[in-house]
């Protein structure tokens, strides 16, 4: 472990020496700068935002606006294209309702067979509501979206292609260029579910040529209960609001109302202010980190996991076997052992993993499994975590097999 | 050190396949899912009136769930239908750390792990669904 | 100021001596037990909830379940009738979609002319979507919902009556008994927007005979970004889900999905865990407070505000002139002075007020005003706040009139 | 002590009713709302080609908004349409604390109060809407 990564790790008070936290894809931990930013907000700036002119209200409004700017900077997009939501799920439901209400029966939406339920169920509900047809890109044997099926799956009726930027099970990173080209060719919009992408470094969203991007704060080293929807300004203009209430209106009368412009139209009610401030602090902190070094370290540790698992009898890895186009999320099946039993025994060795379907039942069905065991890394992961992982795995095999 | 949860006795139960399988032409059957993990339990019963002649369990689930299903099947076979409630009570007591029932006390270590309570309770819930409002 | 209330106030680190925080109806401040509960969660229990078996996941799941139980205890309802949402606005939008989808064109919903936009705009949107008719109870001259209009407004087509338990502008507490009786008589459900009621003591929801209750954490001394929808179990069963995603499903296949039971069906995606833990801590803390004494103190201070304002030339109070059926929220118009100017000048005296339409434009229209100035109290308010308020008001009048 | 925001000069402007009202048969007009506070500004213009002959403002808003509307109306009357951009620039400079323009520097204390920037900018936005893409 380099001293740089040791210094990073010390910023996370929850990461005590006995703990190998390999569940960052579920929720990443919070570093001191984020903890402090939230505490500072709550103890010296707390108030409701926007309408107030008193000092705390001004400070809170300023902190909230600054958070929006910091998130926007992390994504290289204008701040007035950032909508704060409750999380990835809320962001995608927002699009399914707001963009979905612009679609007509017979229109088609293209997804893949590896989507998280958050990027599947809202579209199933829209399909039922609006007579929309869902079409699915198949999944390859190594857990990637099969892009060779793009021409056969997209067509003139396709209005939206919505895919995981990174799979939360297989770690596969989708190759966005052919997706965007295929969507553009038929006039479809593209949404990427970036929940598992953003914790691994800044994303230049503008350069991707997409239309929507969604992710959660709690996987980005920030509090639970805040998320982001980025959408092109023209789409924020074109879409009707999703939820109604305070802050999202221009004028309200009993007989009807008109809407605010920009992100405000989609931020009904008091937003998750402290959590958004935490997310801004996280993005600010992340923006200053040495990402080339962190990515190299995450890759090196991922390789160790892949190598060790491949050498373990009865283990089948769900996902690419190499590092190419792959994020540090490693799921596997251990023949004859149930994921929850594996996780439970490894927990007794201080290793925090996740077992189950990881909110991706169709993908597990594709692999003929009910669930899998997942180890997921973050910028604070180190060799001691991987060492403990293999000690725990040996123990699980000894007990269960 | 292995986690106390996975002691010999519980693992032996999990590997007990004596009543594993299905019953052709079962009098009663029920399949239940645990939505949180995708696990699935099927319990088949052959009844003669109130008496349970035969029980088979078919589990896609963890060791704790399989151990519970095997334990339940063994406890119910040959008993009256009322035995289900009695066994459920014994499991609850074991999870609460308040039993010395020789059959169910092997599940006592699960008590500390709330996230696993549903695993051991799923077979009993399936049995309850199968035997509900029988006439 | 009694020493009991001084001890209460010391629990709020943001309430420094120079500050008269009279904006609690917008967001109340957080006491040390809540700040600490959130910090403890984030630094020693943080993980995603439900699916995990490792120690942190178990601790987080337990903390989240405990929070649900504590909120339920504050409301005297079963824990499995508590749905955690993002706030009052999200709770009401949930009902507008989920309950709303059970309604038919021509069905009617009854509201009042004093509702917060959060309890108006979602119904306007439902009306537009589903051909539902909205009918409004008028507002009396002293800012109450005119319940004498119940018979003429409710009818066989009424499916829901949805009203503010306490007005966030006039402070009027609605008399629920006649509302519930009138609704029952025509088979309509009743929703109360309790955002301004819950900060002033426990509510025995079961005793009210209503069907839905909604409120926000940030007005209840807890973080922003969490709220509650309470609904009768039979309604949670009958309603389809609002948002789709993880946690709310029973089983997901590409061809369709089935839903979880109970509150889970309505909690799609990772919930605002830390904020919910804060809300649970707040309810727990509040449950142990001497409410008779606090209510008496809030009333005494409200009376001081009312008396002083009534004695001030040019002041018109929007709301009941006495304490009967009235919460400690006092809004007023100062003839010839704009609310933002009043607030700004009073801020320079350390008095935090809110000015504007308070997300209740139709109510202000009823009074022929664009906005008003509002002072709102909480359990930490004391005589020094009221003293400062009147000093500030004198200054505002000196400068502006 | 009165808040520095509400100094004599700004209050005097707010009370300056010289150009308050409407213009019958205005060449150009626009009404803008501030959705956050419900304030509303109407600006009427009588133009002769590029020249602004007459301006009237009708404001339901705070003292800062009224002061800004009165200042703008006085600055534009008799000027060319291009004067709007110049005045907007001077207001921005005043809010940034970077001007000694005798007319607009009275708004410098508003600079520290971001929540009030929209109040003083609303009349300029209304003027911009009224004078936009004129032919
Ligand atoms: C009566 C009332 N209802 C609803 C709301 C909306 O609450 P939130 O903005 O937290 O969703 C508020 C507060 O803003 C309120 O006072
Ligand atoms: C790829 C992906 N999409 C969506 C989600 C849902 O995020 P959340 O539960 O924060 O809404 C997750 C995480 O759970 C995820 O990994």
């Amino acid at each position: 472990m380099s001293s740089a990564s040791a210094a990073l790790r010390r910023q996370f008070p929850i990461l005590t020496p006995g703990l190998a936290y390999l569940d960052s894809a579920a929720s990443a931990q919070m570093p001191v700068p984020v903890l402090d930013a939230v505490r500072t907000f709550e103890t010296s700036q707390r108030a409701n935002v926007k309408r107030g002119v008193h000092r705390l209200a001004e400070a809170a409004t300023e902190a909230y606006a600054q958070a929006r700017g910091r998130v926007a900077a992390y994504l290289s997009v204008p701040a007035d294209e950032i909508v704060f939501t409750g999380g990835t799920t809320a962001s995608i439901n927002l699009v399914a309702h707001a963009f979905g209400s612009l679609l007509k029966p017979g229109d088609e939406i293209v997804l893949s067979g590896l989507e998280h339920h958050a990027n599947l169920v809202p579209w199933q509900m829209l399909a039922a509501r609006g007579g929309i047809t869902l079409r699915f890109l198949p999944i390859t044997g190594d857990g990637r979206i099969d892009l060779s099926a793009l021409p056969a799956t997209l067509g003139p009726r396709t209005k939206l292609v919505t895919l995981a930027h990174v799979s939360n099970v297989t770690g596969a990173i989708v190759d966005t260029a052919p997706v965007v080209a295929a969507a553009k060719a038929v006039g479809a919009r593209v949404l990427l579910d970036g929940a598992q992408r953003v914790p691994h470094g800044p994303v230049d969203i503008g350069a991707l040529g997409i239309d929507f991007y969604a992710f959660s704060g709690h996987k980005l080293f920030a509090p639970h209960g805040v998320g982001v929807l980025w959408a092109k300004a023209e789409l924020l203009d074109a879409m009707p609001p999703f939820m109604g209430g305070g802050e999202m209106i221009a004028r309200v009368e009993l007989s009807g109302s008109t809407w605010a412009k920009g992100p405000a139209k989609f931020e009904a009610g008091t937003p998750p202010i402290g959590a958004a401030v935490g997310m801004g602090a996280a993005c600010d902190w992340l923006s200053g980190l040495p990402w080339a070094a962190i990515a190299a370290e995450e890759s090196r540790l991922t390789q160790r996991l892949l190598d060790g698992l491949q050498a373990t009898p009865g283990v089948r890895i769900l996902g690419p076997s190499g590092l190419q186009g792959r994020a540090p999320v490693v799921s596997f099946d251990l023949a004859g052992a149930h994921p929850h039993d594996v996780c439970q025994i490894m927990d007794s060795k201080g290793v925090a993993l996740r077992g189950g379907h990881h909110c991706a039942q169709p993908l597990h069905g594709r692999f003929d499994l009910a669930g899998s065991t997942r180890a997921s890394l973050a910028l604070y992961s180190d060799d001691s975590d991987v060492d403990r992982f293999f000690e725990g795995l040996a123990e699980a095999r000894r007990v269960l097999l | 050190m292995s986690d106390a949860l996975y002691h010999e006795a519980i693992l032996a139960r999990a590997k007990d396949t004596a009543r594993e399988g299905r019953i052709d032409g079962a009098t009663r059957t029920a399949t239940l899912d645990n939505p949180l993990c995708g696990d699935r339990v099927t319990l088949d019963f052959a009844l003669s009136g109130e008496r349970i002649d035969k029980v088979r369990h078919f589990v896609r689930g963890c060791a704790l769930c399989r151990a519970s299903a095997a334990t339940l099947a063994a406890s119910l076979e040959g008993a009256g239908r009322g035995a289900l409630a009695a066994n459920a009570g014994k499991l609850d007591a074991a999870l609460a750390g308040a039993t010395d029932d020789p059959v169910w006390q092997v599940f006592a270590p699960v008590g500390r792990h709330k996230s696993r309570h549903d695993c051991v309770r799923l077979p009993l819930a399936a049995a309850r669904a199968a035997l509900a409002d029988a006439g």
Side-chain angles (χ1 to χ4, degrees), chain A, chain B:
Chain A
M1 181 176 49
S2 73
S3 71
S5 70
L8 257 184
R9 192 176 173 108
R10 273 196 301 273
Q11 301 261 48
F12 293 82
I14 205 171
L15 298 178
T16 47
L19 175 66
Y21 187 75
L22 294 169
D23 194 22
S24 293
S27 283
Q29 296 301 342
M30 285 188 355
V32 169
V34 175
L35 289 164
D36 286 353
V38 175
R39 183 95 180 185
T40 299
F41 169 77
E42 298 294 10
T43 55
S44 69
Q45 305 168 329
R46 177 177 160 101
N48 209 324
V49 290
K50 292 180 195 164
R51 275 158 233 278
V53 302
H54 61 77
R55 283 163 220 188
L56 290 176
E58 284 216 325
T61 303
E62 179 67 16
Y64 186 62
Q66 187 185 53
R68 200 188 299 276
R70 288 169 159 190
V71 171
Y74 190 66
L75 306 174
S76 301
V77 296
D80 61 3
E81 294 180 349
I82 295 289
V83 180
F84 280 122
T85 68
T88 312
T89 303
S91 296
I92 296 177
N93 277 276
L94 193 169
V95 179
H97 276 263
F99 181 76
S101 74
L102 304 174
L103 302 185
K104 289 179 199 52
D107 283 349
E108 297 181 357
I109 295 177
V110 171
L111 304 81
S112 89
L114 64 60
E115 299 310 314
H116 188 283
H117 296 164
N119 195 28
L120 169 55
V121 180
W123 307 114
Q124 291 179 331
M125 293 168 76
L126 170 63
R129 231 176 18 245
I132 310 296
T133 304
L134 306 186
R135 298 178 61 111
F136 294 92
L137 294 166
I139 302 306
T140 65
D142 65 344
R144 292 187 186 279
I145 301 172
D146 185 355
L147 298 184
S148 72
L150 280 171
T153 315
L154 272 69
R157 297 179 146 179
T158 310
K159 294 294 178 269
L160 179 71
V161 180
T162 178
L163 302 173
H165 197 175
V166 170
S167 162
N168 69 313
V169 179
T170 70
I173 304 173
V174 76
D175 187 2
T176 56
V179 173
V180 171
K184 285 258 161 75
V186 298
R189 302 286 183 172
V190 177
L191 184 157
L192 288 185
D193 168 359
Q196 296 296 343
R197 169 59 188 85
V198 288
H200 303 293
V203 190
D204 185 345
I205 286 189
L208 295 178
I210 61 171
D211 301 281
F212 298 104
Y213 203 79
F215 58 95
S216 301
H218 68 97
K219 299 184 198 282
L220 193 61
F221 315 99
H224 296 90
V226 65
V228 161
L229 174 69
W230 168 81
K232 278 192 182 147
E234 71 191 69
L235 281 162
L236 294 179
D237 277 353
M239 295 190 301
F242 170 34
M243 296 210 244
E247 320 286 341
M248 53 69 76
I249 55 94
R251 180 160 288 269
V252 175
E253 296 178 13
L254 292 184
S255 55
S257 301
T258 53
W259 316 132
K261 297 203 185 312
K265 181 164 69 177
F266 302 97
E267 295 183 2
T270 304
I273 311 175
V277 166
M279 194 171 193
C283 285
D284 196 44
W285 182 73
L286 292 166
S287 294
L289 297 183
W291 280 103
I294 292 170
E297 184 69 358
E298 286 184 352
S299 290
R300 191 180 65 74
L301 297 171
T302 304
Q303 188 71 62
R304 279 195 62 197
L305 285 174
L306 292 172
D307 289 347
L309 283 167
Q310 269 147 1
T312 305
V315 163
R316 168 182 172 202
I317 292 171
L318 312 189
S321 55
L323 290 176
Q324 188 66 29
R326 189 187 213 304
V329 174
V330 181
S331 300
F332 62 96
D333 178 56
L334 176 61
H338 189 280
H340 279 169
D341 296 325
V342 175
C343 289
Q344 188 84 55
I345 293 171
M346 291 182 70
D347 176 60
S348 73
K349 295 292 191 185
V351 184
L353 303 172
R354 197 145 290 234
H357 55 58
H358 312 299
C359 295
Q361 285 195 315
L363 175 67
H364 283 89
R366 156 76 177 79
F367 289 128
D368 220 4
L369 295 169
S372 60
T373 304
R374 181 181 73 186
S376 53
L377 308 176
L379 46 80
Y380 40 66
S381 303
D382 65 19
D383 280 302
S384 77
D385 297 329
V386 178
D387 295 345
R388 276 178 191 277
F389 171 86
F390 285 112
E391 285 164 31
L393 186 62
E395 173 74 3
R397 296 183 66 245
R398 201 186 60 69
V399 173
L400 294 172
L401 300 183
Chain B
M1 179 214 76
S2 79
D3 187 284
L5 216 48
Y6 295 90
H7 54 87
E8 293 302 326
I10 216 165
L11 288 170
R13 298 271 179 93
K15 287 171 187 153
D16 170 5
T17 56
R19 288 172 192 81
E20 195 172 87
R22 304 292 310 260
I23 301 177
D24 254 352
T27 327
R28 293 302 188 97
T29 183
T31 299
L32 278 195
D33 288 332
N34 179 343
L36 292 187
C37 55
D39 285 357
R40 170 168 283 192
V41 172
T42 301
L43 277 186
D44 287 348
F45 291 88
L47 303 181
S48 317
E50 285 299 297
R51 206 187 110 90
I52 299 170
D53 291 333
K54 191 171 169 186
V55 190
R56 287 296 176 270
H57 57 89
F58 191 78
V59 175
R60 191 187 63 193
C62 61
L64 302 183
C65 184
R66 282 185 281 123
S68 167
T71 305
L72 182 68
S75 306
L76 292 184
E77 219 169 71
R81 286 200 323 172
L84 173 58
N87 281 280
K90 288 175 187 172
L91 172 57
D92 285 345
L95 294 178
T99 192
D100 50 9
D101 178 81
V103 174
W104 287 101
Q105 74 176 352
V106 304
F107 293 97
V110 184
R112 282 181 294 115
H113 297 279
K114 278 215 183 171
S115 64
R116 309 305 298 278
H117 288 194
D118 282 353
C119 306
V120 292
R121 285 201 170 117
L122 193 61
L124 289 95
R128 207 172 293 120
L131 299 178
D133 52 83

